[in-house]
Amino acid sequence: MLITNGRILTFGDTHQLIENGAVRIEDGRIAEVGPSNILEAAHPQDERLDARGMVVMPGMIVAHTHFYGTFARGMYIPGPAMKNFPEILQRLWWPLDRALDEEGVRYSALTPIIHAIRSGVTTLIDHHASNHFIDGSLDVIAEVVEETGVRASLCYEVSDRDGQAVAAAGIRENVRFIKKAQKMSHRRIAASFGLHAPLTLSDATLERCVAEAEAAGHQGFHIHACEGPTDQEHSLATYGIRTIDRLHQRGILGPHTLVGHAIDIDPWEMALLRETETWISHQPRSNMNNGVGVAQLPAMLRGGMKVVLGNDGFTNDVFEEMKVAYLLHKSARNDPRVLPADQLLNIVIENNAALARQFFGQTFGRLQAGAAADIILLDYDPPTPLSTDNFPWHIIFGFDGRNVDTTIVAGRVLMRHRQIPHLDEASIAAHSREVALATWKRFWQE
Ligand SMILES: [Zn+2]
């Protein structure tokens, strides 16, 4: 297939804006990028997808999300307003995950993935919990990933919060799915080993997870840590050491591990995360919503740490998350120079792509020969000139998930002119509302 007449933002080492450019796709990968007239003349037989002057760029990647968080939207939570993060966990997230059944898992994944396609997201790294429906839960999500056509890495969040049997089932589900994903021939579904957070994981459970992951030939974990002050208070009171030190001692950190948040950490803990080359995912909308503080992003970036951008279950419009990140750090530091657009783009495009590469073994985040053909087209008619030098500011101030016209994953067109022909969105949304209400009823009964 040949995408023609685009304004191609290539990204990558030799970033260029190619006006009247074309991208040729072959077997799920990008074969060639260049001027439209030259590629059209060279490949007259190729199927055409006319971009009609739209912006063509790599698909967006969400580094940390929770599909099931979708069912929290608009849900009534009995009692007074939740006053801190532990209450948010105990009164919202944990009872919600326990209320999910198989249908709940399916529809709470299906609708945010459709929104992802609509917003130009091609890859998502999910962290799942449904403690009353664990065995096979990742298969249900994997079916949804297959059906919708996106790329996703899945894991189950092991936790001791609902007892030993539930923790054991969580470990079993991770191991089972890791082995299954290892055997998959295509590269659209990957697995990680999920852990909730240090405050709900005993040393014995962590030890078992490390042993089971090793036995399964898997490296790395996907875990939350230091999302608020509670993790440190709990770790110091229970184990007499700080949270990140404990994770390090237990063998959880490393170049294949993804830690969500890492907000409440001291300089030595930051050094440990840096030294172990651990990935840190940043979710500004979630952090602001939970009132848990602001991650020390400027210092992490100055130290060359592997910072990526997720959304923690907020909407899958990465452009929206980027805007919030862009504003938050300036506001928090009273300094408009903090986290400029080009630095933020580097996180969202380069770093997120490097993380995805680790899961899927392909090159992402750039339009160049050999990279995965995960491509989006945006209908963007700017009021000011767009150039190779100023595109990061156009992306921050002008781009929006609703501008996305076409979403392509592994060379397959999932959405064209905002139509997703293989998914009946209206009936999926209608059924999702029924399943969500049934889930809410179980939540309210608990
Ligand atoms: Zn999270």
Side-chain angles (χ1 to χ4, degrees):
M1 184 169 66
L2 196 58
I3 302 170
T4 58
N5 304 315
R7 309 188 81 183
I8 318 272
L9 284 171
T10 65
F11 291 87
D13 305 328
T14 53
H15 180 69
Q16 297 175 67
L17 169 64
I18 306 174
E19 298 285 2
N20 287 314
V23 179
R24 194 163 74 84
I25 299 169
E26 210 172 49
D27 298 330
R29 288 180 191 249
I30 295 169
E32 222 174 328
V33 180
S36 213
N37 54 354
I38 294 177
L39 265 68
E40 284 188 71
H43 305 282
Q45 306 300 326
D46 277 20
E47 179 197 343
R48 298 286 200 274
L49 192 149
D50 190 347
R52 293 187 207 152
M54 282 193 268
V55 169
V56 180
M57 64 181 278
M60 306 303 280
I61 295 165
V62 172
H64 171 82
T65 192
H66 306 278
F67 294 145
Y68 77 91
T70 304
F71 275 8
R73 192 183 302 175
M75 187 175 71
Y76 168 66
I77 300 155
M82 298 171 289
K83 66 178 179 294
N84 55 29
F85 185 55
E87 275 198 18
I88 293 171
L89 289 175
Q90 282 155 16
R91 289 178 46 204
L92 164 59
W93 295 115
W94 297 349
L96 175 61
D97 91 53
R98 285 191 293 264
L100 291 166
D101 60 5
E102 182 173 340
E103 279 291 271
V105 171
R106 188 184 314 281
Y107 279 85
S108 65
L110 191 47
T111 47
I113 290 178
I114 290 173
H115 183 253
I117 295 169
R118 293 202 149 275
S119 308
V121 170
T122 49
T123 296
L124 302 113
I125 296 165
D126 189 61
H127 195 273
H128 175 69
S130 51
N131 276 351
H132 287 179
F133 170 65
I134 299 176
D135 291 332
S137 59
L138 297 181
D139 287 347
V140 173
I141 301 173
E143 277 167 27
V144 173
V145 174
E146 291 277 8
E147 185 188 342
T148 52
V150 294
R151 241 182 255 276
S153 173
L154 311 178
C155 72
Y156 193 88
E157 71 163 51
V158 175
S159 171
D160 290 312
R161 65 177 178 258
D162 289 328
Q164 282 189 352
V166 167
I171 294 172
R172 197 163 64 230
E173 182 64 2
N174 277 307
V175 171
R176 187 190 64 74
F177 193 74
I178 282 168
K179 288 180 176 166
K180 186 173 175 173
Q182 284 165 349
K183 288 186 201 132
M184 285 180 184
S185 53
H186 68 67
R187 287 180 174 173
R188 282 202 303 101
I189 294 176
S192 182
F193 201 117
L195 302 169
H196 173 241
L199 80 156
T200 73
L201 288 156
S202 68
D203 280 347
T205 300
L206 287 177
E207 209 168 296
R208 208 174 137 206
C209 291
V210 169
E212 295 269 5
E214 201 179 303
H218 180 82
Q219 286 183 303
F221 297 90
H222 185 178
I223 184 172
H224 299 101
C226 308
E227 187 166 352
T230 321
D231 237 346
Q232 293 292 3
E233 286 161 14
H234 177 268
S235 187
L236 287 164
T238 315
Y239 306 99
I241 55 169
R242 293 184 67 88
T243 313
I244 300 297
D245 296 54
R246 178 170 170 243
L247 289 180
H248 187 47
Q249 279 185 10
R250 294 284 144 200
I252 302 297
L253 305 182
H256 295 93
T257 287
L258 174 60
V259 171
H261 307 296
I263 295 169
D264 182 30
I265 55 174
D266 72 9
W268 175 243
E269 290 178 295
M270 194 184 293
L272 268 179
L273 290 167
R274 179 171 182 258
E275 192 181 301
T276 53
E277 296 177 31
T278 301
W279 296 94
I280 308 295
S281 79
H282 179 46
Q283 288 73 228
R285 287 184 295 176
S286 164
N287 299 160
M288 292 167 81
N289 187 47
N290 289 333
V292 288
V294 181
Q296 302 163 59
L297 229 60
M300 289 179 183
L301 295 170
R302 200 165 69 78
M305 289 173 69
K306 291 154 63 180
V307 177
V308 289
L309 192 76
N311 65 29
D312 220 11
F314 268 68
T315 58
N316 279 322
D317 184 343
V318 177
F319 299 111
E320 206 175 299
E321 191 82 36
M322 281 171 71
K323 282 186 188 77
V324 173
Y326 184 80
L327 300 173
L328 168 63
H329 294 278
K330 292 170 183 61
S331 178
R333 306 268 296 226
N334 294 324
D335 185 347
R337 295 167 299 183
V338 176
L339 197 61
D342 48 349
Q343 195 177 33
L344 179 55
L345 252 286
N346 198 54
I347 295 173
V348 179
I349 304 292
E350 287 289 320
N351 294 5
N352 280 23
L355 175 66
R357 183 188 179 87
Q358 190 172 291
F359 285 115
F360 302 97
Q362 293 184 54
T363 301
F364 298 98
R366 48 187 63 193
L367 303 183
Q368 70 179 38
D374 292 10
I375 301 169
I376 57 174
L377 273 60
L378 290 102
D379 194 357
Y380 180 62
D381 205 3
T384 55
L386 170 72
S387 71
T388 310
D389 300 318
N390 73 9
F391 77 90
W393 287 267
H394 275 277
I395 291 179
I396 298 289
F397 292 106
F399 284 28
D400 184 297
R402 292 178 194 86
N403 294 139
V404 177
D405 173 272
T406 300
T407 301
I408 300 169
V409 176
R412 178 182 172 203
V413 179
L414 304 184
M415 180 173 79
R416 178 80 174 127
H417 300 323
R418 297 200 63 76
Q419 301 295 313
I420 308 176
H422 63 295
L423 299 168
D424 182 350
E425 290 179 74
S427 82
I428 290 168
H431 193 61
S432 174
R433 286 189 287 274
E434 285 171 20
V435 177
L437 181 60
T439 307
W440 288 2
K441 283 181 177 166
R442 286 190 293 274
F443 175 94
W444 294 326
Q445 274 161 13
E446 194 177 285

